[in-house]
Every structure is written in structure tokens, then in C-alpha cells.
Amino acid sequence: MSLPSKNSLLVFGVAACVVLVCVGALCFVATKAGLIRPPFFGRWYQGPHPTRVVDVPPIPPRAFQKRLEDRLNAAVRSGRHPFVLTISEQELTGGFKAVIDDALRDKRWKQLTSQIVVRPTDFEMFCRYARGPLRMDLFIRFAPEISGRGVVFHPTVVQFGDFHIPTTFAERALSVLFNRDLGRWDFSLPGARLSTIKLRDRAVDLAFTPGP
């Protein structure tokens, strides 16, 4: 049996090095994205950090809607204009937890935690999902703007794991993960229209004025 030539050993060594480098690079990228947490590479993962933790149980959609309707009807009966509907970040988080799983395109991902933080400048969304050994951390900050009978949320910060996604590509990137537009919410009230939205620490005030 003939021994491998020096050239063959050199080619094999180079190929092995290339494979190791590629595997290491893939592990590093997957770790920085938060998808995997291997012992060696895991120390390089920082991940997004929400402003604070909002830990509340999910609020079923019908219960959430009824809570807001009752509150808004009470504001209308008071006779004061505009009608102001205040929603806390705890309520937003509870309602969000109950529906966000249905918005995922890939149902194999399971929600570990999700929350909404309201700051005076923006809304902050944080989600953590798991699919077997994989993990996904998503962090988004939205600036609201009234549009028609609803609110449009413009992403100002989008972070997937340790990677920051340019806001110009945020809508396309989010459409890969979710089957609905998270950036628009409609608020309809017969005989009234949404006039202003005011953010404050831990709550948002929606003001409605009489109109078509």
C-alpha cells in the first residue's frame, strides 16, 4: 500500500482547516443571532435587554376588548371631550401575549416570554421564542403615528439577537417571521375618531373626538 503524497496531505490539511473555519464562523453567527448557546461561543452573546420586565399573564382577546370597550364607554358617558382611553403596559403585554403566537408563520416556535414596554418616546417590544434547542430573541422599538382610523408604528430599532437590522429593511425582515403586519392597529369607535396618541411612562393615552 502506498503512502499518501505530501501534496495529498497538504490538500487534506487545507480542506480540513477551511471546514473548521466555516463551521466556527457559522457557530459564531448563530450564537450572535441568539439561535444557539454553545458553551464556548455562548460567552460572546449579549442579547437585547428590555428597559424593564413586564411579567403578567395573557389576557384573552375578548376579555381585553371588553375591558377597553367598558372603559371607553365610561369615558363617553362622562360627557367630557375628548374621550380618553388609557391602556397600561401591563394590559398591552397581557393582550400581546395572547395573540402573538398566532402571528408567527412557523408554529414550531414556542413563546417563552413576550412583553410591551411603554416609554415617553416609543413602544418597546421584546419576544423570546424556542424551537427545540434553538432560541430567538427579538427586540423592536416603535414610534407611533395616527393614520386614518388607526395607528401606524414605525420601527426605529430592530434587533435580532446581537444583530441590529437597518430600519429600511425592518418590514421585510419582520414579514419573514410574522404573517400579519405588526406595524398597524385600527381603533374604530362609532361617531368618533382617534385624534391624538400620547405616550407616557408605563401607559398610553388614546384621545377620541366626535366625528365620522
Side-chain angles (χ1 to χ4, degrees):
M1 178 182 293
S2 60
L3 295 174
S5 66
K6 290 184 178 180
N7 287 339
S8 297
L9 291 174
L10 179 61
V11 170
F12 177 79
V14 171
C17 289
V18 171
V19 170
L20 287 175
V21 169
C22 291
V23 170
L26 288 174
C27 286
F28 178 76
V29 171
T31 299
K32 294 296 284 182
L35 293 174
I36 59 176
R37 313 287 170 87
F40 178 73
F41 290 97
R43 61 183 179 178
W44 290 334
Y45 181 69
Q46 301 298 320
H49 298 284
T51 299
R52 54 183 165 267
V53 174
V54 184
D55 187 14
V56 296
I59 302 175
R62 289 186 178 179
F64 182 76
Q65 182 178 0
K66 186 177 186 306
R67 181 182 301 188
L68 299 187
E69 288 177 350
D70 291 345
R71 195 174 301 165
L72 189 55
N73 289 334
V76 171
R77 288 194 300 270
S78 71
R80 294 190 298 270
H81 294 180
F83 317 125
V84 178
L85 174 62
T86 299
I87 312 174
S88 70
E89 65 182 26
Q90 286 84 4
E91 292 170 320
L92 289 172
T93 294
F96 181 68
K97 280 184 173 181
V99 300
I100 190 60
D101 282 342
D102 291 335
L104 279 174
R105 289 192 181 277
D106 190 342
K107 305 303 182 185
R108 290 173 294 180
W109 287 96
K110 302 302 179 183
Q111 178 185 172
L112 296 180
T113 185
S114 59
Q115 64 172 52
I116 301 290
V117 167
V118 184
R119 310 190 313 161
T121 54
D122 52 33
F123 288 96
E124 182 182 279
M125 182 183 87
F126 175 74
C127 300
R128 175 168 290 160
Y129 286 91
R131 177 183 161 186
L134 301 179
R135 296 291 184 271
M136 178 174 66
D137 291 342
L138 181 63
F139 177 89
I140 309 175
R141 282 182 175 154
F142 294 100
E145 178 187 11
I146 294 176
S147 177
R149 298 183 68 86
V151 178
V152 174
F153 297 94
H154 301 285
T156 59
V157 175
V158 180
Q159 188 175 346
F160 178 65
D162 279 342
F163 292 114
H164 290 266
I165 301 175
T167 55
T168 51
F169 300 113
E171 185 174 344
R172 181 176 299 178
L174 292 175
S175 68
V176 174
L177 299 174
F178 299 101
N179 57 24
R180 63 153 295 171
D181 183 6
L182 296 179
R184 181 176 182 86
W185 297 84
D186 292 324
F187 296 92
S188 298
L189 179 66
R193 62 182 179 84
L194 183 63
S195 58
T196 62
I197 177 170
K198 180 182 178 181
L199 303 180
R200 49 192 175 90
D201 196 36
R202 303 176 189 269
V204 56
D205 297 323
L206 302 175
F208 296 84
T209 55

